Amino acid sequence: DSFEANKKILSSQVQEKKLEVEEFKDLLGRTTSSLYGLENLQSSFEGFETGVKSVLLWQKSKTQKKQISTQTEMHADGSVSTYEIDSAGASSEESEFKPVSDVVEVEPGYEVAMESALGQRLQMLLAQDPKASVDAIQYLKNSRSGRSSFLSVGDARNDFSGQSPAQETGDKVLLKDVVKSKPDFEKSVNYFVDNIAVVEDLNRGIELRSQYPGWTFVTIDGDSVTHDGVISGGSKDSSE
């Protein structure tokens, strides 16, 4: 009886483990499928405006393209050897475009504030070489593929030197203190987030704007008042 009881218990445990394995396989399959879908979205630059997407796809096609060059070498015995040299036909690192959204990182809790403050500038393309931007604009014109804005990394500058509202009551944090970027693009990102403060509510932002010319104030929820007085806000998702 004891043997049969133990056998029954073990059989039950085996069945439970089999079910767990099957559930794990299903979860793994769904996760793999989701990851594949996300990778496809990323590789096709979904979510970007038409012009930005066109430039990024154009850049990607140039990166993947191979240029074959031929080199001939003559030896001492008079024989000749010909070599084919593979070289990527991509833009060099200096002419590679990066969307602002790809080079910034923000501390948890400030994502909506950053998106509201930067707006369309998150889709602006950064480049090391201004000539690459001119080439990209010409490509957009020739292919009628939309419009895009560019900023050369070395050209970013901010001449504003007024007082900071950092110590004011109701001012939570300066946006530049919670937004980080890759070192190569730090100057450009600082240019975008400088003179922006996160405040506790929109009314406080409006009050501070009159005291700090040139500053933009944004709330955690994304409501904002810009340095030139434009007030924006509302619900992220509209109700039916």
Side-chain angles (χ1 to χ4, degrees):
D1 291 342
S2 177
F3 174 79
E4 290 298 327
N6 288 334
K7 180 180 177 182
K8 187 175 182 180
I9 292 173
L10 289 173
S11 296
S12 176
Q13 291 176 344
V14 167
Q15 289 301 319
E16 289 177 2
K17 294 301 180 183
K18 284 183 177 180
L19 288 173
E20 289 178 7
V21 169
E22 291 302 318
E23 289 176 358
F24 177 77
K25 286 181 178 179
D26 289 342
L27 178 60
L28 179 61
R30 292 195 300 270
T31 303
T32 302
S33 178
S34 297
L35 179 60
Y36 179 75
L38 289 173
E39 288 175 343
N40 280 343
L41 287 175
Q42 184 180 32
S43 64
S44 59
F45 307 109
E46 293 300 326
F48 287 104
E49 293 180 346
T50 301
V52 178
K53 181 178 178 179
S54 296
V55 171
L56 293 175
L57 288 172
W58 174 60
Q59 175 178 263
K60 181 179 178 181
S61 69
K62 293 200 301 176
T63 301
Q64 294 173 339
K65 193 178 297 180
K66 294 289 186 178
Q67 289 182 338
I68 306 297
S69 59
T70 303
Q71 179 174 324
T72 302
E73 181 179 348
M74 180 172 290
H75 303 286
D77 61 2
S79 61
V80 177
S81 299
T82 301
Y83 304 94
E84 284 189 344
I85 302 175
D86 257 2
S87 60
S91 307
S92 66
E93 185 67 25
E94 291 186 351
S95 59
E96 181 177 310
F97 298 109
K98 291 283 188 182
V100 172
S101 59
D102 278 9
V103 302
V104 296
E105 295 179 3
V106 62
E107 292 183 11
Y110 293 97
E111 296 90 346
V112 176
M114 183 194 72
E115 290 175 5
S116 175
L118 297 188
Q120 292 301 106
R121 286 176 291 182
L122 284 169
Q123 297 206 19
M124 185 176 288
L125 295 175
L126 303 175
Q128 300 286 351
D129 182 6
K131 292 181 180 179
S133 301
V134 175
D135 290 341
I137 289 174
Q138 191 60 52
Y139 165 76
L140 290 174
K141 287 182 176 180
N142 293 341
S143 60
R144 298 183 178 180
S145 301
R147 299 175 63 87
S148 181
S149 297
F150 304 83
L151 177 68
S152 299
V153 173
D155 292 342
R157 57 179 294 179
N158 193 339
D159 298 325
F160 180 79
S161 58
Q163 288 184 317
S164 166
Q167 305 302 320
E168 288 284 353
T169 302
D171 186 6
K172 301 177 74 66
V173 69
L174 301 185
L175 192 60
K176 67 179 181 180
D177 292 336
V178 295
V179 173
K180 307 299 179 187
S181 66
K182 298 177 182 178
D184 290 347
F185 302 98
E186 187 172 354
K187 185 177 179 181
S188 298
V189 171
N190 286 342
Y191 167 75
F192 288 126
V193 300
D194 208 8
N195 305 329
I196 299 175
V198 182
V199 291
E200 60 185 12
D201 60 51
L202 191 55
N203 286 326
R204 185 55 176 155
I206 294 172
E207 292 174 5
L208 289 174
R209 176 184 165 271
S210 63
Q211 302 172 39
Y212 295 92
W215 280 80
T216 289
F217 297 90
V218 60
T219 69
I220 291 291
D221 295 331
D223 297 338
S224 65
V225 52
T226 66
H227 62 90
D228 51 0
V230 177
I231 300 173
S232 303
S235 173
K236 185 176 181 181
D237 300 314
S238 60
S239 59
E240 295 296 333

